[in-house]
Amino acid sequence: MENGAITLGLMAVLGLLMIAAAISDVRSRTISNELNAAMALLAIPFWITSGLALWPDVPLQFGAAFAVFLVFAGLFAIGAMGGGDVKMIGAVMLWIPLSLFMPTLTVMAIGGGILSAAMLIHMKLRPSDKPVEVPYGVAIAAAGLWALHQQYLNQFQVIG
């Protein structure tokens, strides 16, 4: 049971870090490297306390998160994403169970789409010469919180 409390504590810390990153992204359109590094590094004790096997689970988890990071790094290269957002996606995906990768990315895309629509409406109501900058960290944090809830805190998952 001791590991369960540590695991929940680490998840709570991740939740707070994601919320801090989302707030930072809304305020300044930046997500600090320190926040992203903390999210990524805390995944290691999370893997240990949650019982992820050293082989093959840890390399699979890391490889899948790295693959997602590379896809979004490609989007950064063409100017479609910010660098902090890309690093945050990679860090958060280290925590997400493989079975929830696609649903998490779907929730993230839907959240990002809603956020983009809201930003466009805001720009129409208050015209500006500045380009629209979407604080995508909000969508990443929402999807990360949703996925952690689905896997670890949803007491009704056996019903569905």
Side-chain angles (χ1 to χ4, degrees):
M1 188 63 180
E2 184 178 319
N3 279 353
I6 294 170
T7 301
L8 286 175
L10 288 167
M11 287 178 10
V13 170
L14 173 66
L16 292 173
L17 290 171
M18 287 190 296
I19 291 167
I23 291 169
S24 171
D25 204 15
V26 166
R27 287 185 177 167
S28 66
R29 298 299 187 268
T30 60
I31 302 170
S32 76
N33 288 334
E34 290 80 11
L35 278 173
N36 288 327
M39 285 185 254
L41 291 173
L42 285 173
I44 297 168
F46 176 75
W47 294 340
I48 294 166
T49 61
S50 64
L52 209 59
L54 189 59
W55 184 262
D57 295 343
V58 168
L60 285 172
Q61 184 72 36
F62 179 81
F66 189 65
V68 169
F69 171 80
L70 288 177
V71 168
F72 282 91
L75 291 173
F76 169 75
I78 62 171
M81 296 278 301
D85 298 330
V86 172
K87 290 178 262 186
M88 184 177 174
I89 290 168
V92 169
M93 295 310 280
L94 290 169
W95 294 71
I96 307 302
L98 295 177
S99 62
L100 286 176
F101 261 53
M102 289 311 292
T104 301
L105 292 172
T106 302
V107 169
M108 193 181 306
I110 292 169
I114 293 169
L115 197 55
S116 296
M119 293 300 295
L120 287 173
I121 291 169
H122 180 265
M123 291 302 287
K124 290 291 182 185
L125 295 175
R126 293 184 176 199
S128 173
D129 294 335
K130 297 179 185 177
V132 177
E133 292 183 0
V134 178
Y136 207 78
V138 174
I140 300 166
L145 291 169
W146 172 86
L148 288 177
H149 170 265
Q150 289 301 307
Q151 181 65 24
Y152 302 105
L153 303 174
N154 186 353
Q155 302 303 314
F156 299 106
Q157 57 184 299
V158 292
I159 294 173

